[in-house]
Amino acid sequence: MRERRREYELMYIISPLRSGEEEISATISRVSQAITSMGGEVISISQTSPWGRRKFAYAIREYAEGEASRRVFNEGYYVLAHCKLLTTQIPELDRALKLNDAVLRHMLTLVDTRGQAPVVAASAASEESDEGTTA
Amino acid sequence: MSDDQERRRPGGGGGRRKFLARRKVCGFCADKIRDVDYKDVKRLQRFVSDRGKILPRRRTGTCAKHQRTLTGAIKRARHMALLPFVAAHTRS
């Protein structure tokens, strides 16, 4: 498979049990480290409003560490990150996020960079209008 | 107007309600937005019923293409707990 770098948007939720100040930055740096160790680069991280500490739209029940039954969570800490990754490393990143105890949920989305100049634009938004979509 | 024609059509169907919305312009086409963002909860909430269900196109007036991306975005938002799957009913 040809190796290609693409821009992704990663959103993950940190469990409220691990939401002490230092724990949050530790988790974020762990995730960023995982990304860079795979040869990717982290472009930006956002934890300010509307992310950061936020109530869920529904209760999430997950196994907490060391407990037998699932616990109910009603709020968590959202983090939104933009990163550039090799396409072959995506399953690894996904696995790393799944295994991480502090990360409750995560979602990796592709940022649509069609219609942009091939030069690296630091603020590539995912809603750039296209010049001409091939329908 | 095409509205009257549409209203006469369900007469033979039986059981069909009257059309609730007039022919509207697709909100996304009007704003020239190509991709619906799953993070844009405020905008997404307009296309979801009070029970949390995704509204059909004839209610919201979106075009087919945007309805598909909209549905995908709503489902992603639901996965990340930004939108509920089922909205809690406040009156009991």
Side-chain angles (χ1 to χ4, degrees), chain B residues 59-73:
Chain B
R59 276 285 298 270
T60 58
T62 21
C63 67
K65 189 166 163 188
H66 281 122
Q67 179 74 7
R68 289 195 295 272
T69 43
L70 172 68
T71 303

Side-chain angles (χ1 to χ4, degrees), chain A residues 71-86:
Chain A
R71 272 185 72 143
V72 179
F73 297 119
N74 277 310
E75 60 171 13
Y77 197 87
Y78 282 77
V79 182
L80 180 66
H82 280 260
C83 59
K84 266 209 161 98
L85 261 192
L86 294 165

Side-chain angles (χ1 to χ4, degrees), chain A residues 21-109:
Chain A
E21 278 268 350
E22 315 96 32
E23 292 212 62
I24 288 180
S25 28
T27 310
I28 293 178
S29 57
R30 267 239 301 248
V31 174
S32 310
Q33 240 176 22
I35 294 176
T36 45
S37 73
M38 293 178 200
E41 65 176 84
V42 180
I43 300 176
S44 72
I45 299 179
S46 166
Q47 324 160 234
T48 55
S49 148
W51 312 122
R53 201 115 185 258
R54 198 181 153 130
K55 211 163 169 321
F56 295 148
Y58 53 89
I60 293 183
R61 306 201 304 167
E62 279 297 326
Y63 287 101
E65 201 175 271
E67 297 182 20
S69 61
R70 291 180 290 178
R71 272 185 72 143
V72 179
F73 297 119
N74 277 310
E75 60 171 13
Y77 197 87
Y78 282 77
V79 182
L80 180 66
H82 280 260
C83 59
K84 266 209 161 98
L85 261 192
L86 294 165
T87 49
T88 45
Q89 305 285 10
I90 296 299
E92 283 192 38
L93 177 62
D94 194 51
R95 187 143 193 280
L97 287 165
K98 262 202 254 193
L99 293 176
N100 191 329
D101 279 335
V103 172
L104 212 57
R105 288 241 168 125
H106 63 97
M107 176 149 67
L108 205 55
T109 316

